């Protein structure tokens, strides 16, 4: 009986530890993706501007609205 309790505790601990690692990896991946998607060092393409919720202003060659608002468009 005692062995069953210990085994159950070990399995539960391993399951919780695995869940925590998975959540941390997902959060890290999401942060890295967000940082590269909105990088101000690179100009977005017209498609990226529209996917980000903006529209391309052809007169000034900038993105209006959305994620890339005010950035020059390649």
């Amino acid at each position: 009986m005692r062995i069953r309790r210990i085994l159950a505790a070990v399995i539960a601990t391993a399951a919780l530890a695995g869940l925590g690692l998975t959540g941390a990896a997902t959060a890290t991946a999401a942060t890295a993706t967000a940082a590269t998607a909105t990088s101000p060092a690179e100009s977005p393409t017209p498609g990226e501007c529209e996917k980000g919720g903006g529209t391309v202003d052809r007169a000034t060659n900038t993105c209006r609205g959305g994620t890339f608002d005010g950035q020059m468009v390649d």
Side-chain angles (χ1 to χ4, degrees):
M1 186 70 154
R2 186 175 186 191
I3 293 174
R4 286 184 190 168
R5 283 189 218 154
I6 293 172
L7 183 60
V10 169
I11 291 172
T13 304
L16 290 174
L19 181 62
L21 293 176
T22 303
T26 303
T28 303
T31 303
T33 303
T36 57
T38 59
S39 176
E42 298 178 20
S43 298
T45 63
E48 290 173 336
C49 175
E50 292 171 0
K51 284 183 183 177
T55 57
V56 179
D57 183 0
R58 299 288 179 187
T60 59
N61 206 28
T62 57
C63 185
R64 297 287 175 208
T67 306
F68 300 103
D69 187 34
Q71 292 186 14
M72 297 296 292
V73 177
D74 281 340

